[in-house]
Every structure is written in C-alpha cells, then in structure tokens.
Amino acid sequence: MALVGTLSTMPLPDLLQWVAQARKSGWLRVERQKVAKRIAFRNGRVVSCASDEPRQFLGQFLVSRSRITEETLREALARQELSGRHLGATLVEMGALNETELRRLLQAQAEEILFSLFEWEEAVFRFQDDEVPEGEIAFPVDLAVEDVLLRGLQRLDEMRRIRRVFPDGDIVLRRTPKQPPPGLLEHAAARRVYGAVDGRKKLAEILLHARTSEYLALKLLFELYRAGFVELERSDTVSPASGTAGGAAAGGASAGSVPARPAGNPLERDLAVARGMVQGGDYDAALDLLNRAYEAHPGEERVGALLAEAERAFVEAVYRDRLPANAVPVLTRPLEALTGDRFSPEEFFLLSRINGAWDIKSILQISPIRELEALRALLRMLERGLIELRREG
C-alpha cells in the first residue's frame, strides 16, 4: 500500500510520527525542486537515508567533515567504478577510514539528510509499505523517530532565526576589523567558511566553497555576524550566467526555442512536444519545457521520468560532442585575473578546481554540484573563452 501526499497537507513531523507509531516498514521518498531524498524504515525506526543532492552524497559529506581529501575521493570513486562496491567499503579498504568511523559518519550523514527535510514545507512524498531486507542496506543505521523529531524541530527553529539574517544567497559578506578568537576557528570547516568571506563572494558561493553542510556553514556565519566579526551588504547584481534554465545547448535549438504546441490537454501537449524534442536531439529546449512542466505539476511521475531521460541524453551529448570526460580544462587566464568577471556560484567553484591536471570527469566527481548543472557551467565558460580543452592521449 502506498500513501501519497504533500508536506503542505501532511507536515513532515506528522508523517514521521505516523510511521513510528504504526511501526511501519518501507520507503519514504520526498521530492522538491528536482531533489529527492529516500528514508528506509524498519518497524518504525530509520535504518537508511539517501539523497540525490550532491552536497549530501557520502563522499561530499566526508570531504565536508575533513575526513578525506578531494584527491582521496577521486581515487575511491575510480576504484568503486571498477568494483561496484559501496563507497564506504572502498574507503575502508583503502585505509582512509576504519569501519567504526564509517558507521559513525554514516549515522551523522543520515541525520543531516533527515534534519534538512524539516525546512521543506512544499514537497511531494510517497510512502511505500514494504519490508526492507536485512542484506539490502550495506551499512544500516538505527535512529528513533522521536529523537529525530526533537532535534529536527530544534534545528528548524534555529534555521528560521538564521534565515532572518541570511534570507537568500545573494547577500555579500565581508570581514570587520574585529578578529575572531582562535578557538572559534579551531575546525577546518570553520576556517574554510571564514576564509571564504572576502567582501566579494555571495553567500551562495561561500556555501559551495565551504565544503560543509549548509546548516553548519550558516550557523557559523550567524555566530560570526552576531559577534561582530562579519557584516553584510546586499548584492543587487545577479550574474547573467546564474540559474539553470538557460546556458549553452548541447545540440539543436537553444533553451526557450519551444515550438507551438498542438491543441489538447496542456500537460499532454507539453509531454508530446518534449518527447519529440528529445528524440530529435533538441535536448536544451526539451529541458526548458520540462522544467516548466515540473514546476507546474510537482510529483507528476511522467514529467519526472521524461525530465530524467532528457537530462541523461543532454549529459551524454555534451560528453560526446563538446566536453569529453577525459579532456583536461585549462584556464586561458590566471584565476586571480578573473576577479573582475561575473560568475555564478557554480562557475566560480569549478574555476577554482581547474588545475591543468584534472580532467573533466575528475572535476565533476569531486564537485558538490549536479552533473548537468556543472556541465552547463563549463560550457558557458568554454564559450566565453575562459577555458580551453587539452585532449589526453
């Protein structure tokens, strides 16, 4: 049996309480803005959490906690690609972690995924009753819903206070002459966050560069702000390259070149037109149309399925025709000479990882950005002449 709804009509705390009190086993999928998170329950307790938000992938989570480096993550992902084993098991095999550390960190990752859901007021969910076999989850966790609710609601209250100061990612932060005490910057993540505050970067850029959870980065910045170590100014200038709907096309017409739709049901028309675009190789226009359909019909499985198909086709076309995975991007100017240019947060992060040695596949593997959006950002930079490609072999 499946329970389907929205968090606006059945809030997350009520949904979790229902699962716990009924001692349900099964899978809960929650989706918002093309990000889906899955929680596995066994007898009303959380045994696994997963997210397709890159910043919450296990590898990114471990980098954010300074448990592994980006280079270690690259090596582990290369080994995993050959073996097909769980990334955590691969890292244990490499000696980067021991199993006790891994289990503790997986529990912390699961909590991070769960707690982040408490800010989702508008999302669609589906709970599917189903037994979760013992061997299906490589490294199960064990979380009581009551504990999740208590800590999740506390964190939600804290985030609401923080977001009154930092309402969006366009805010620019700068340091004040007042120096924070060494103890406040004891951890590497705190030093990365404070180090990224330079009076130029927007909050969204700082959160990408910090390589830590959004919550931890915002909490530290809030404390720095309250103590007078940083101050705010709002940036009213939005980079024309920012956003995900536009960008360079992989083939066919550019985004927005949507042909006239045939008569009939609007959703059916959009699906038919988008399907034709995908089949004709006009992936960018298909994505533009499907993104609008997704916003208008959240949770519609046919839209989600065709959108995923179009994204896969777009990514394949980009790798095939424009950005081969083994090509090494190089900057046409030194990074410090680009400070006057305007970049989206994604572009700025990717530029900082272009070192003349890593190929495109390696850069995307360690990036906390969705593959499709990272490729679009690289295409924009290629077309602006900021980077060029060196083919290996």
Side-chain angles (χ1 to χ4, degrees), residues 55 119 158-163 165-169 171 173 193 203-204 206-207 210 212-226 230:
R55 283 192 243 191
E119 284 201 89
E158 190 174 8
M159 286 297 287
R160 284 172 173 165
R161 291 194 298 272
I162 291 172
R163 291 200 187 279
V165 177
F166 306 131
D168 59 58
I171 290 171
L173 295 92
V193 172
L203 179 60
I206 293 172
L207 294 179
T212 189
S213 76
E214 182 175 343
Y215 165 70
L216 291 176
L218 287 174
K219 183 177 179 179
L220 175 67
L221 290 169
F222 183 68
E223 294 302 322
L224 291 168
Y225 169 78
R226 289 204 309 175
V230 302

mmCIF file of all heavy atoms in Angstrom, residues 55 119 158-163 165-169 171 173 193 203-204 206-207 210 212-226 230:
data_model
loop_
_atom_site.group_PDB
_atom_site.id
_atom_site.type_symbol
_atom_site.label_atom_id
_atom_site.label_comp_id
_atom_site.label_asym_id
_atom_site.label_seq_id
_atom_site.Cartn_x
_atom_site.Cartn_y
_atom_site.Cartn_z
ATOM 1 N N ARG A 55 25.640 17.658 -2.513
ATOM 2 C CA ARG A 55 26.307 18.049 -1.276
ATOM 3 C C ARG A 55 26.082 17.040 -0.151
ATOM 4 O O ARG A 55 26.817 17.044 0.826
ATOM 5 C CB ARG A 55 25.835 19.431 -0.828
ATOM 6 C CG ARG A 55 26.466 20.560 -1.621
ATOM 7 C CD ARG A 55 26.195 21.885 -0.949
ATOM 8 N NE ARG A 55 25.400 22.755 -1.780
ATOM 9 C CZ ARG A 55 25.201 24.036 -1.525
ATOM 10 N NH1 ARG A 55 25.722 24.585 -0.453
ATOM 11 N NH2 ARG A 55 24.476 24.777 -2.324
ATOM 12 N N GLU A 119 12.975 21.749 6.768
ATOM 13 C CA GLU A 119 12.737 23.050 6.125
ATOM 14 C C GLU A 119 11.876 22.932 4.873
ATOM 15 O O GLU A 119 11.507 23.948 4.294
ATOM 16 C CB GLU A 119 14.073 23.698 5.764
ATOM 17 C CG GLU A 119 14.813 24.304 6.946
ATOM 18 C CD GLU A 119 15.826 25.330 6.500
ATOM 19 O OE1 GLU A 119 15.474 26.512 6.382
ATOM 20 O OE2 GLU A 119 16.978 24.932 6.241
ATOM 21 N N GLU A 158 16.113 27.061 14.889
ATOM 22 C CA GLU A 158 17.389 27.749 14.754
ATOM 23 C C GLU A 158 17.575 28.289 13.337
ATOM 24 O O GLU A 158 18.015 29.428 13.134
ATOM 25 C CB GLU A 158 18.520 26.786 15.115
ATOM 26 C CG GLU A 158 19.867 27.437 15.237
ATOM 27 C CD GLU A 158 20.930 26.467 15.731
ATOM 28 O OE1 GLU A 158 20.646 25.253 15.834
ATOM 29 O OE2 GLU A 158 22.055 26.927 16.007
ATOM 30 N N MET A 159 17.222 27.493 12.337
ATOM 31 C CA MET A 159 17.371 27.926 10.952
ATOM 32 C C MET A 159 16.449 29.100 10.628
ATOM 33 O O MET A 159 16.813 29.978 9.832
ATOM 34 C CB MET A 159 17.107 26.758 10.004
ATOM 35 C CG MET A 159 18.235 25.738 9.954
ATOM 36 S SD MET A 159 19.791 26.435 9.329
ATOM 37 C CE MET A 159 19.404 26.611 7.577
ATOM 38 N N ARG A 160 15.282 29.134 11.229
ATOM 39 C CA ARG A 160 14.387 30.270 10.984
ATOM 40 C C ARG A 160 14.986 31.558 11.506
ATOM 41 O O ARG A 160 14.862 32.615 10.873
ATOM 42 C CB ARG A 160 13.029 29.998 11.626
ATOM 43 C CG ARG A 160 12.182 28.999 10.842
ATOM 44 C CD ARG A 160 10.938 28.601 11.612
ATOM 45 N NE ARG A 160 10.061 27.772 10.781
ATOM 46 C CZ ARG A 160 9.058 27.037 11.267
ATOM 47 N NH1 ARG A 160 8.823 27.024 12.587
ATOM 48 N NH2 ARG A 160 8.308 26.321 10.464
ATOM 49 N N ARG A 161 15.674 31.503 12.652
ATOM 50 C CA ARG A 161 16.347 32.696 13.180
ATOM 51 C C ARG A 161 17.490 33.104 12.257
ATOM 52 O O ARG A 161 17.692 34.291 11.984
ATOM 53 C CB ARG A 161 16.880 32.425 14.589
ATOM 54 C CG ARG A 161 15.808 32.266 15.645
ATOM 55 C CD ARG A 161 16.404 32.339 17.046
ATOM 56 N NE ARG A 161 17.360 31.260 17.285
ATOM 57 C CZ ARG A 161 17.034 30.071 17.751
ATOM 58 N NH1 ARG A 161 15.757 29.783 18.014
ATOM 59 N NH2 ARG A 161 17.952 29.141 17.968
ATOM 60 N N ILE A 162 18.230 32.103 11.786
ATOM 61 C CA ILE A 162 19.372 32.386 10.913
ATOM 62 C C ILE A 162 18.909 33.007 9.599
ATOM 63 O O ILE A 162 19.506 33.967 9.101
ATOM 64 C CB ILE A 162 20.180 31.097 10.665
ATOM 65 C CG1 ILE A 162 20.885 30.656 11.944
ATOM 66 C CG2 ILE A 162 21.186 31.296 9.536
ATOM 67 C CD1 ILE A 162 21.542 29.294 11.860
ATOM 68 N N ARG A 163 17.826 32.490 9.040
ATOM 69 C CA ARG A 163 17.379 32.974 7.724
ATOM 70 C C ARG A 163 16.749 34.358 7.800
ATOM 71 O O ARG A 163 16.550 34.995 6.763
ATOM 72 C CB ARG A 163 16.425 31.956 7.093
ATOM 73 C CG ARG A 163 17.143 30.665 6.695
ATOM 74 C CD ARG A 163 16.388 29.868 5.668
ATOM 75 N NE ARG A 163 17.022 28.578 5.428
ATOM 76 C CZ ARG A 163 18.071 28.384 4.647
ATOM 77 N NH1 ARG A 163 18.628 29.415 4.032
ATOM 78 N NH2 ARG A 163 18.570 27.171 4.482
ATOM 79 N N VAL A 165 18.411 36.683 9.088
ATOM 80 C CA VAL A 165 19.618 37.472 8.801
ATOM 81 C C VAL A 165 20.126 37.187 7.399
ATOM 82 O O VAL A 165 20.566 38.092 6.684
ATOM 83 C CB VAL A 165 20.709 37.158 9.844
ATOM 84 C CG1 VAL A 165 22.006 37.905 9.514
ATOM 85 C CG2 VAL A 165 20.235 37.531 11.240
ATOM 86 N N PHE A 166 20.063 35.905 6.989
ATOM 87 C CA PHE A 166 20.547 35.483 5.671
ATOM 88 C C PHE A 166 19.366 34.935 4.863
ATOM 89 O O PHE A 166 19.220 33.723 4.716
ATOM 90 C CB PHE A 166 21.610 34.389 5.808
ATOM 91 C CG PHE A 166 22.763 34.734 6.703
ATOM 92 C CD1 PHE A 166 23.182 33.870 7.690
ATOM 93 C CD2 PHE A 166 23.442 35.928 6.546
ATOM 94 C CE1 PHE A 166 24.255 34.181 8.508
ATOM 95 C CE2 PHE A 166 24.521 36.251 7.359
ATOM 96 C CZ PHE A 166 24.926 35.383 8.345
ATOM 97 N N PRO A 167 18.515 35.811 4.310
ATOM 98 C CA PRO A 167 17.302 35.319 3.647
ATOM 99 C C PRO A 167 17.542 34.662 2.295
ATOM 100 O O PRO A 167 16.707 33.887 1.834
ATOM 101 C CB PRO A 167 16.452 36.586 3.488
ATOM 102 C CG PRO A 167 17.441 37.713 3.478
ATOM 103 C CD PRO A 167 18.551 37.284 4.380
ATOM 104 N N ASP A 168 18.658 34.965 1.630
ATOM 105 C CA ASP A 168 18.900 34.360 0.325
ATOM 106 C C ASP A 168 20.393 34.350 0.037
ATOM 107 O O ASP A 168 21.201 34.892 0.794
ATOM 108 C CB ASP A 168 18.134 35.090 -0.792
ATOM 109 C CG ASP A 168 18.508 36.555 -0.901
ATOM 110 O OD1 ASP A 168 19.702 36.842 -1.105
ATOM 111 O OD2 ASP A 168 17.621 37.419 -0.771
ATOM 112 N N GLY A 169 20.737 33.715 -1.085
ATOM 113 C CA GLY A 169 22.143 33.527 -1.432
ATOM 114 C C GLY A 169 22.810 34.712 -2.081
ATOM 115 O O GLY A 169 24.005 34.651 -2.379
ATOM 116 N N ILE A 171 23.270 37.681 -0.758
ATOM 117 C CA ILE A 171 23.914 38.557 0.217
ATOM 118 C C ILE A 171 25.439 38.403 0.119
ATOM 119 O O ILE A 171 25.949 37.299 -0.028
ATOM 120 C CB ILE A 171 23.433 38.220 1.642
ATOM 121 C CG1 ILE A 171 21.973 38.649 1.800
ATOM 122 C CG2 ILE A 171 24.294 38.865 2.704
ATOM 123 C CD1 ILE A 171 21.342 38.188 3.073
ATOM 124 N N LEU A 173 29.038 39.009 2.109
ATOM 125 C CA LEU A 173 29.576 39.187 3.450
ATOM 126 C C LEU A 173 31.003 39.693 3.375
ATOM 127 O O LEU A 173 31.741 39.325 2.462
ATOM 128 C CB LEU A 173 29.549 37.863 4.227
ATOM 129 C CG LEU A 173 28.171 37.290 4.541
ATOM 130 C CD1 LEU A 173 27.742 36.322 3.446
ATOM 131 C CD2 LEU A 173 28.182 36.573 5.885
ATOM 132 N N VAL A 193 35.015 28.397 5.966
ATOM 133 C CA VAL A 193 33.880 29.320 5.886
ATOM 134 C C VAL A 193 34.359 30.753 6.075
ATOM 135 O O VAL A 193 34.072 31.646 5.266
ATOM 136 C CB VAL A 193 32.806 28.959 6.932
ATOM 137 C CG1 VAL A 193 31.728 30.036 6.974
ATOM 138 C CG2 VAL A 193 32.178 27.602 6.614
ATOM 139 N N LEU A 203 26.744 34.784 -0.628
ATOM 140 C CA LEU A 203 26.538 33.706 0.337
ATOM 141 C C LEU A 203 26.488 32.355 -0.359
ATOM 142 O O LEU A 203 27.051 31.369 0.129
ATOM 143 C CB LEU A 203 25.244 33.948 1.130
ATOM 144 C CG LEU A 203 24.863 32.893 2.159
ATOM 145 C CD1 LEU A 203 25.941 32.734 3.214
ATOM 146 C CD2 LEU A 203 23.533 33.249 2.800
ATOM 147 N N ALA A 204 25.827 32.285 -1.517
ATOM 148 C CA ALA A 204 25.730 31.013 -2.239
ATOM 149 C C ALA A 204 27.114 30.493 -2.625
ATOM 150 O O ALA A 204 27.355 29.279 -2.579
ATOM 151 C CB ALA A 204 24.860 31.177 -3.490
ATOM 152 N N ILE A 206 29.949 31.172 -0.979
ATOM 153 C CA ILE A 206 30.613 30.773 0.261
ATOM 154 C C ILE A 206 30.162 29.374 0.668
ATOM 155 O O ILE A 206 30.972 28.541 1.084
ATOM 156 C CB ILE A 206 30.323 31.794 1.377
ATOM 157 C CG1 ILE A 206 30.985 33.136 1.053
ATOM 158 C CG2 ILE A 206 30.798 31.274 2.736
ATOM 159 C CD1 ILE A 206 30.605 34.254 2.000
ATOM 160 N N LEU A 207 28.870 29.095 0.540
ATOM 161 C CA LEU A 207 28.353 27.790 0.938
ATOM 162 C C LEU A 207 28.931 26.678 0.067
ATOM 163 O O LEU A 207 29.180 25.568 0.555
ATOM 164 C CB LEU A 207 26.822 27.782 0.858
ATOM 165 C CG LEU A 207 26.102 28.714 1.844
ATOM 166 C CD1 LEU A 207 24.598 28.644 1.649
ATOM 167 C CD2 LEU A 207 26.472 28.389 3.277
ATOM 168 N N ALA A 210 32.742 26.318 1.092
ATOM 169 C CA ALA A 210 32.983 25.872 2.465
ATOM 170 C C ALA A 210 33.095 24.361 2.557
ATOM 171 O O ALA A 210 33.714 23.842 3.478
ATOM 172 C CB ALA A 210 31.862 26.370 3.373
ATOM 173 N N THR A 212 30.978 22.197 3.489
ATOM 174 C CA THR A 212 30.357 21.668 4.690
ATOM 175 C C THR A 212 28.856 21.781 4.515
ATOM 176 O O THR A 212 28.373 22.304 3.513
ATOM 177 C CB THR A 212 30.829 22.424 5.942
ATOM 178 O OG1 THR A 212 30.369 21.740 7.109
ATOM 179 C CG2 THR A 212 30.313 23.855 5.962
ATOM 180 N N SER A 213 28.086 21.259 5.461
ATOM 181 C CA SER A 213 26.635 21.315 5.311
ATOM 182 C C SER A 213 26.171 22.768 5.357
ATOM 183 O O SER A 213 26.790 23.627 6.002
ATOM 184 C CB SER A 213 25.948 20.511 6.416
ATOM 185 O OG SER A 213 25.971 21.215 7.640
ATOM 186 N N GLU A 214 25.069 23.042 4.670
ATOM 187 C CA GLU A 214 24.521 24.394 4.659
ATOM 188 C C GLU A 214 24.219 24.854 6.081
ATOM 189 O O GLU A 214 24.485 26.003 6.456
ATOM 190 C CB GLU A 214 23.255 24.429 3.796
ATOM 191 C CG GLU A 214 22.633 25.801 3.673
ATOM 192 C CD GLU A 214 21.459 25.829 2.720
ATOM 193 O OE1 GLU A 214 21.323 24.888 1.927
ATOM 194 O OE2 GLU A 214 20.679 26.787 2.784
ATOM 195 N N TYR A 215 23.682 23.948 6.879
ATOM 196 C CA TYR A 215 23.334 24.293 8.254
ATOM 197 C C TYR A 215 24.563 24.720 9.048
ATOM 198 O O TYR A 215 24.567 25.763 9.708
ATOM 199 C CB TYR A 215 22.652 23.105 8.924
ATOM 200 C CG TYR A 215 22.578 23.206 10.429
ATOM 201 C CD1 TYR A 215 21.750 24.136 11.045
ATOM 202 C CD2 TYR A 215 23.357 22.378 11.233
ATOM 203 C CE1 TYR A 215 21.694 24.243 12.426
ATOM 204 C CE2 TYR A 215 23.308 22.483 12.616
ATOM 205 C CZ TYR A 215 22.468 23.406 13.206
ATOM 206 O OH TYR A 215 22.420 23.502 14.565
ATOM 207 N N LEU A 216 25.635 23.922 9.015
ATOM 208 C CA LEU A 216 26.822 24.241 9.801
ATOM 209 C C LEU A 216 27.471 25.539 9.338
ATOM 210 O O LEU A 216 27.934 26.345 10.149
ATOM 211 C CB LEU A 216 27.823 23.090 9.732
ATOM 212 C CG LEU A 216 27.407 21.802 10.454
ATOM 213 C CD1 LEU A 216 28.443 20.705 10.232
ATOM 214 C CD2 LEU A 216 27.201 22.050 11.944
ATOM 215 N N ALA A 217 27.510 25.747 8.003
ATOM 216 C CA ALA A 217 28.114 26.976 7.478
ATOM 217 C C ALA A 217 27.296 28.196 7.889
ATOM 218 O O ALA A 217 27.848 29.212 8.334
ATOM 219 C CB ALA A 217 28.224 26.889 5.959
ATOM 220 N N LEU A 218 25.972 28.103 7.755
ATOM 221 C CA LEU A 218 25.117 29.235 8.132
ATOM 222 C C LEU A 218 25.169 29.503 9.630
ATOM 223 O O LEU A 218 25.161 30.657 10.072
ATOM 224 C CB LEU A 218 23.681 28.972 7.691
ATOM 225 C CG LEU A 218 23.402 29.075 6.195
ATOM 226 C CD1 LEU A 218 21.985 28.650 5.880
ATOM 227 C CD2 LEU A 218 23.646 30.499 5.696
ATOM 228 N N LYS A 219 25.236 28.443 10.417
ATOM 229 C CA LYS A 219 25.301 28.610 11.867
ATOM 230 C C LYS A 219 26.579 29.351 12.258
ATOM 231 O O LYS A 219 26.548 30.268 13.096
ATOM 232 C CB LYS A 219 25.248 27.242 12.551
ATOM 233 C CG LYS A 219 25.249 27.319 14.068
ATOM 234 C CD LYS A 219 25.132 25.929 14.682
ATOM 235 C CE LYS A 219 25.148 26.011 16.205
ATOM 236 N NZ LYS A 219 25.016 24.667 16.825
ATOM 237 N N LEU A 220 27.710 28.976 11.650
ATOM 238 C CA LEU A 220 28.959 29.658 11.964
ATOM 239 C C LEU A 220 28.904 31.125 11.516
ATOM 240 O O LEU A 220 29.288 32.032 12.264
ATOM 241 C CB LEU A 220 30.134 28.954 11.293
ATOM 242 C CG LEU A 220 31.476 29.679 11.460
ATOM 243 C CD1 LEU A 220 31.926 29.663 12.912
ATOM 244 C CD2 LEU A 220 32.539 29.063 10.566
ATOM 245 N N LEU A 221 28.423 31.380 10.302
ATOM 246 C CA LEU A 221 28.336 32.752 9.813
ATOM 247 C C LEU A 221 27.410 33.595 10.686
ATOM 248 O O LEU A 221 27.678 34.784 10.927
ATOM 249 C CB LEU A 221 27.847 32.762 8.364
ATOM 250 C CG LEU A 221 28.842 32.229 7.326
ATOM 251 C CD1 LEU A 221 28.159 32.039 5.981
ATOM 252 C CD2 LEU A 221 30.031 33.181 7.189
ATOM 253 N N PHE A 222 26.337 32.989 11.177
ATOM 254 C CA PHE A 222 25.404 33.688 12.062
ATOM 255 C C PHE A 222 26.102 34.085 13.364
ATOM 256 O O PHE A 222 25.947 35.210 13.846
ATOM 257 C CB PHE A 222 24.211 32.775 12.331
ATOM 258 C CG PHE A 222 23.128 33.402 13.171
ATOM 259 C CD1 PHE A 222 22.364 34.444 12.677
ATOM 260 C CD2 PHE A 222 22.862 32.932 14.448
ATOM 261 C CE1 PHE A 222 21.354 35.015 13.449
ATOM 262 C CE2 PHE A 222 21.857 33.483 15.223
ATOM 263 C CZ PHE A 222 21.101 34.536 14.722
ATOM 264 N N GLU A 223 26.888 33.159 13.915
ATOM 265 C CA GLU A 223 27.620 33.461 15.145
ATOM 266 C C GLU A 223 28.673 34.542 14.894
ATOM 267 O O GLU A 223 28.860 35.448 15.718
ATOM 268 C CB GLU A 223 28.280 32.189 15.693
ATOM 269 C CG GLU A 223 27.299 31.133 16.170
ATOM 270 C CD GLU A 223 26.365 31.638 17.249
ATOM 271 O OE1 GLU A 223 26.827 32.426 18.107
ATOM 272 O OE2 GLU A 223 25.186 31.266 17.246
ATOM 273 N N LEU A 224 29.366 34.470 13.762
ATOM 274 C CA LEU A 224 30.344 35.495 13.415
ATOM 275 C C LEU A 224 29.670 36.859 13.247
ATOM 276 O O LEU A 224 30.213 37.895 13.660
ATOM 277 C CB LEU A 224 31.076 35.106 12.129
ATOM 278 C CG LEU A 224 32.036 33.912 12.206
ATOM 279 C CD1 LEU A 224 32.452 33.465 10.808
ATOM 280 C CD2 LEU A 224 33.280 34.261 13.036
ATOM 281 N N TYR A 225 28.482 36.845 12.654
ATOM 282 C CA TYR A 225 27.734 38.086 12.455
ATOM 283 C C TYR A 225 27.297 38.675 13.802
ATOM 284 O O TYR A 225 27.468 39.868 14.059
ATOM 285 C CB TYR A 225 26.531 37.812 11.562
ATOM 286 C CG TYR A 225 25.543 38.942 11.487
ATOM 287 C CD1 TYR A 225 25.786 40.063 10.690
ATOM 288 C CD2 TYR A 225 24.358 38.894 12.216
ATOM 289 C CE1 TYR A 225 24.878 41.105 10.626
ATOM 290 C CE2 TYR A 225 23.440 39.936 12.161
ATOM 291 C CZ TYR A 225 23.702 41.028 11.366
ATOM 292 O OH TYR A 225 22.814 42.069 11.312
ATOM 293 N N ARG A 226 26.731 37.842 14.645
ATOM 294 C CA ARG A 226 26.246 38.330 15.943
ATOM 295 C C ARG A 226 27.380 38.867 16.815
ATOM 296 O O ARG A 226 27.188 39.803 17.594
ATOM 297 C CB ARG A 226 25.517 37.213 16.695
ATOM 298 C CG ARG A 226 24.169 36.848 16.100
ATOM 299 C CD ARG A 226 23.263 36.217 17.111
ATOM 300 N NE ARG A 226 23.888 35.105 17.820
ATOM 301 C CZ ARG A 226 23.309 34.467 18.825
ATOM 302 N NH1 ARG A 226 22.110 34.827 19.253
ATOM 303 N NH2 ARG A 226 23.928 33.452 19.417
ATOM 304 N N VAL A 230 31.835 39.573 11.155
ATOM 305 C CA VAL A 230 31.479 39.777 9.752
ATOM 306 C C VAL A 230 30.270 40.696 9.698
ATOM 307 O O VAL A 230 29.509 40.814 10.669
ATOM 308 C CB VAL A 230 31.175 38.453 9.005
ATOM 309 C CG1 VAL A 230 32.349 37.505 9.062
ATOM 310 C CG2 VAL A 230 29.911 37.793 9.529
#
